[in-house]
Amino acid sequence: MTFEPEQLGQSKADLAATLKTLRKRAGLSQVRLAQRCNTSQTKVSNIESGKTTPNLVDVELILRALEAPSQLISEVTALARIANTEWQGDRSLLRRGLDKRQNELAGLEKSSTEFRYFLPTMITGLLATPDYVRASIADVPGDQSKTIAKKLERQTVLYDRSKQFRFVLTEQAVRWPLIPPDALAVQIDRLASLTHLPNVRIGVIPIGHDVKPGPLSVFTVYGDSMATVETPTGVLIFRDHRDVSAYLDEFSVHEAHAVFGEQAREFLTEWAAFCRS
């Protein structure tokens, strides 16, 4: 069985078509392939129709069941990784409207129960005061009132005790002068107040602590199924378990350098007092 690398596309539809073609060339029915993979025919059908995007483990199982050569396995698993990664550019987000993005985030927060946020540059919307939210989108053209309202509305999820939130912020993120000093002091006070919520764990990494070298990106991990990574021009969304696991490991490294509880509140109180001075 041969399959030319240039035939491999980069979309979910391409991955579905590729796997279907490979199965047919191997002379197997969906039922027979499902048996070899110890899964259901329905799952195989959904994968081949594009209704379900398989992760890398699913793809590897299918390719080994088809007795694909190692080179082809490498090519198709690379395609699967691309299919499990999504890019949302800032321009497309602006065209759709930032309020629509808030609806998407609210949906993720509703469907997930465990959240990890690494914040090296700014305070995220869930923890922000109205002044901070307003300043964070001040350069976005048009009416921002809907976006601000939805950002603030999303904060109610923090009080849902069936959900667990873990935030790690650098000192730079906490003290970044996005708003005037008196308003920033109120923002820092809010962070300190939220540390008392039983399902919210907020840690800070003071300047001077030894930290992992290398570039630091803002990222969020939803349970163990999805990670989003912010860049200067958009958001990358990873759904493959290997990518998500990498960000879970990354979060653990940063979390180990953070201080929590009373120690975190002492730093926050000191930083807020500095703003007021």
Side-chain angles (χ1 to χ4, degrees):
M1 178 175 60
T2 61
F3 200 84
E4 297 301 322
E6 57 267 23
Q7 292 178 265
L8 302 179
Q10 295 189 345
S11 69
K12 295 179 182 181
D14 290 332
L15 177 61
T18 297
L19 293 174
K20 184 176 182 178
T21 298
L22 293 175
R23 175 184 60 77
K24 288 186 173 181
R25 290 185 182 180
L28 293 180
S29 66
Q30 288 184 348
V31 172
R32 184 60 181 148
L33 176 59
Q35 290 172 343
R36 287 192 179 186
C37 296
N38 195 28
T39 189
S40 68
Q41 182 272 331
T42 299
K43 181 174 181 177
V44 172
S45 176
N46 286 340
I47 288 173
E48 291 188 356
S49 66
K51 292 180 180 178
T52 299
T53 301
N55 58 38
L56 263 67
V57 173
D58 291 330
V59 171
E60 287 179 354
L61 282 173
I62 290 172
L63 294 175
R64 295 189 189 284
L66 296 174
E67 300 179 350
S70 58
Q71 180 61 33
L72 183 58
I73 290 175
S74 176
E75 292 164 358
V76 182
T77 52
L79 175 62
R81 192 162 201 151
I82 295 170
N84 277 277
T85 304
E86 180 183 345
W87 168 252
Q88 293 184 348
D90 284 345
R91 291 182 180 179
S92 63
L93 290 174
L94 287 174
R95 282 196 300 270
R96 289 165 45 217
L98 290 184
D99 57 318
K100 303 294 191 304
R101 174 61 177 163
Q102 297 307 306
N103 291 337
E104 293 174 1
L105 291 172
L108 288 172
E109 290 153 4
K110 183 177 180 179
S111 61
S112 303
T113 57
E114 190 173 2
F115 308 82
R116 295 173 178 85
Y117 297 80
F118 178 59
L119 307 166
T121 56
M122 285 178 58
I123 296 168
T124 190
L126 284 182
L127 306 177
T129 61
D131 282 345
Y132 199 97
V133 169
R134 193 172 295 108
S136 70
I137 60 172
D139 59 344
V140 177
D143 184 7
Q144 304 155 2
S145 57
K146 285 184 179 180
T147 301
I148 293 170
K150 288 185 177 181
K151 272 181 172 284
L152 296 174
E153 182 183 337
R154 281 176 47 224
Q155 295 178 355
T156 59
V157 75
L158 293 175
Y159 302 92
D160 182 347
R161 296 196 180 187
S162 69
K163 301 179 184 295
Q164 298 294 318
F165 295 87
R166 291 154 71 177
F167 300 88
V168 172
L169 301 92
T170 63
E171 180 178 342
Q172 173 181 307
V174 176
R175 303 181 68 172
W176 187 255
L178 182 68
I179 49 181
D182 57 337
L184 185 57
V186 174
Q187 170 63 79
I188 297 174
D189 288 342
R190 171 168 167 77
L191 293 178
S193 175
L194 290 172
T195 64
H196 292 285
L197 290 178
N199 61 317
V200 176
R201 178 173 161 86
I202 298 177
V204 296
I205 303 176
I207 291 174
H209 278 218
D210 292 331
V211 295
K212 179 181 177 182
L216 303 179
S217 298
V218 175
F219 66 84
T220 305
V221 184
Y222 297 86
D224 58 1
S225 61
M226 188 174 81
T228 63
V229 182
E230 298 182 25
T231 77
T233 56
V235 179
L236 277 165
I237 301 171
F238 298 98
R239 292 186 175 85
D240 183 78
H241 77 100
R242 298 182 194 184
D243 294 316
V244 176
S245 293
Y247 280 100
L248 286 171
D249 292 342
E250 180 84 3
F251 185 86
S252 295
V253 170
H254 297 308
E255 190 174 41
H257 289 100
V259 297
F260 294 86
E262 189 58 38
Q263 194 175 1
R265 286 190 286 273
E266 287 176 3
F267 278 108
L268 292 169
T269 300
E270 175 189 330
W271 298 338
F274 180 84
C275 289
R276 291 190 170 93
S277 68

Short mmCIF file of all heavy atoms in Angstrom, two decimals, residues 12-13 16-17 42-54:
data_model
loop_
_atom_site.label_atom_id
_atom_site.label_comp_id
_atom_site.label_asym_id
_atom_site.label_seq_id
_atom_site.Cartn_x
_atom_site.Cartn_y
_atom_site.Cartn_z
N LYS A 12 -9.00 18.90 9.26
CA LYS A 12 -9.69 17.75 9.83
C LYS A 12 -10.32 16.91 8.73
O LYS A 12 -10.33 15.68 8.81
CB LYS A 12 -10.76 18.24 10.81
CG LYS A 12 -10.18 18.96 12.02
CD LYS A 12 -11.28 19.45 12.95
CE LYS A 12 -10.68 20.20 14.13
NZ LYS A 12 -11.72 20.68 15.07
N ALA A 13 -10.84 17.59 7.72
CA ALA A 13 -11.46 16.86 6.60
C ALA A 13 -10.41 16.03 5.87
O ALA A 13 -10.68 14.91 5.44
CB ALA A 13 -12.12 17.85 5.65
N ALA A 16 -9.68 12.91 7.92
CA ALA A 16 -10.77 11.94 7.80
C ALA A 16 -10.69 11.21 6.46
O ALA A 16 -10.81 9.97 6.40
CB ALA A 16 -12.12 12.65 7.94
N ALA A 17 -10.49 11.96 5.39
CA ALA A 17 -10.42 11.35 4.06
C ALA A 17 -9.21 10.44 3.92
O ALA A 17 -9.28 9.37 3.29
CB ALA A 17 -10.38 12.45 2.99
N THR A 42 -19.19 2.58 14.99
CA THR A 42 -19.71 3.95 15.00
C THR A 42 -18.59 4.97 15.13
O THR A 42 -18.58 6.00 14.45
CB THR A 42 -20.71 4.13 16.15
OG1 THR A 42 -21.80 3.23 15.97
CG2 THR A 42 -21.26 5.55 16.17
N LYS A 43 -17.61 4.66 16.00
CA LYS A 43 -16.50 5.59 16.18
C LYS A 43 -15.68 5.69 14.89
O LYS A 43 -15.30 6.79 14.47
CB LYS A 43 -15.61 5.14 17.33
CG LYS A 43 -14.45 6.09 17.59
CD LYS A 43 -13.66 5.70 18.82
CE LYS A 43 -12.52 6.67 19.07
NZ LYS A 43 -11.77 6.35 20.31
N VAL A 44 -15.41 4.55 14.26
CA VAL A 44 -14.67 4.56 13.00
C VAL A 44 -15.42 5.37 11.96
O VAL A 44 -14.85 6.19 11.23
CB VAL A 44 -14.42 3.13 12.50
CG1 VAL A 44 -13.82 3.14 11.09
CG2 VAL A 44 -13.50 2.37 13.46
N SER A 45 -16.74 5.16 11.89
CA SER A 45 -17.56 5.90 10.93
C SER A 45 -17.52 7.40 11.19
O SER A 45 -17.39 8.21 10.26
CB SER A 45 -19.01 5.40 10.99
OG SER A 45 -19.83 6.17 10.14
N ASN A 46 -17.60 7.79 12.47
CA ASN A 46 -17.57 9.22 12.81
C ASN A 46 -16.23 9.85 12.48
O ASN A 46 -16.15 11.01 12.06
CB ASN A 46 -17.89 9.40 14.30
CG ASN A 46 -19.36 9.19 14.61
OD1 ASN A 46 -20.21 9.26 13.73
ND2 ASN A 46 -19.66 8.91 15.87
N ILE A 47 -15.16 9.07 12.66
CA ILE A 47 -13.83 9.58 12.32
C ILE A 47 -13.71 9.79 10.82
O ILE A 47 -13.24 10.82 10.35
CB ILE A 47 -12.74 8.61 12.82
CG1 ILE A 47 -12.64 8.68 14.35
CG2 ILE A 47 -11.39 8.91 12.18
CD1 ILE A 47 -11.71 7.64 14.96
N GLU A 48 -14.16 8.82 10.06
CA GLU A 48 -14.03 8.90 8.60
C GLU A 48 -14.96 9.94 7.99
O GLU A 48 -14.69 10.46 6.90
CB GLU A 48 -14.30 7.53 7.98
CG GLU A 48 -13.21 6.51 8.29
CD GLU A 48 -13.39 5.21 7.53
OE1 GLU A 48 -14.41 5.07 6.80
OE2 GLU A 48 -12.52 4.33 7.65
N SER A 49 -16.06 10.25 8.67
CA SER A 49 -16.97 11.28 8.15
C SER A 49 -16.59 12.68 8.62
O SER A 49 -17.17 13.67 8.17
CB SER A 49 -18.41 10.97 8.59
OG SER A 49 -18.53 11.10 10.00
N GLY A 50 -15.63 12.75 9.54
CA GLY A 50 -15.20 14.05 10.05
C GLY A 50 -16.01 14.54 11.22
O GLY A 50 -15.77 15.63 11.73
N LYS A 51 -16.98 13.74 11.69
CA LYS A 51 -17.77 14.15 12.85
C LYS A 51 -16.94 14.15 14.12
O LYS A 51 -17.18 14.94 15.03
CB LYS A 51 -18.98 13.22 13.02
CG LYS A 51 -20.02 13.34 11.92
CD LYS A 51 -21.17 12.39 12.18
CE LYS A 51 -22.23 12.48 11.08
NZ LYS A 51 -23.34 11.52 11.30
N THR A 52 -15.97 13.24 14.19
CA THR A 52 -15.07 13.14 15.34
C THR A 52 -13.65 13.31 14.86
O THR A 52 -13.24 12.69 13.88
CB THR A 52 -15.22 11.77 16.03
OG1 THR A 52 -16.56 11.62 16.50
CG2 THR A 52 -14.23 11.63 17.19
N THR A 53 -12.89 14.16 15.53
CA THR A 53 -11.47 14.31 15.21
C THR A 53 -10.68 13.37 16.12
O THR A 53 -10.69 13.55 17.34
CB THR A 53 -10.99 15.75 15.42
OG1 THR A 53 -11.77 16.62 14.59
CG2 THR A 53 -9.52 15.89 15.05
N PRO A 54 -10.01 12.37 15.56
CA PRO A 54 -9.29 11.42 16.40
C PRO A 54 -8.02 12.04 16.98
O PRO A 54 -7.38 12.89 16.36
CB PRO A 54 -8.94 10.29 15.42
CG PRO A 54 -8.82 10.99 14.10
CD PRO A 54 -9.86 12.07 14.12
#
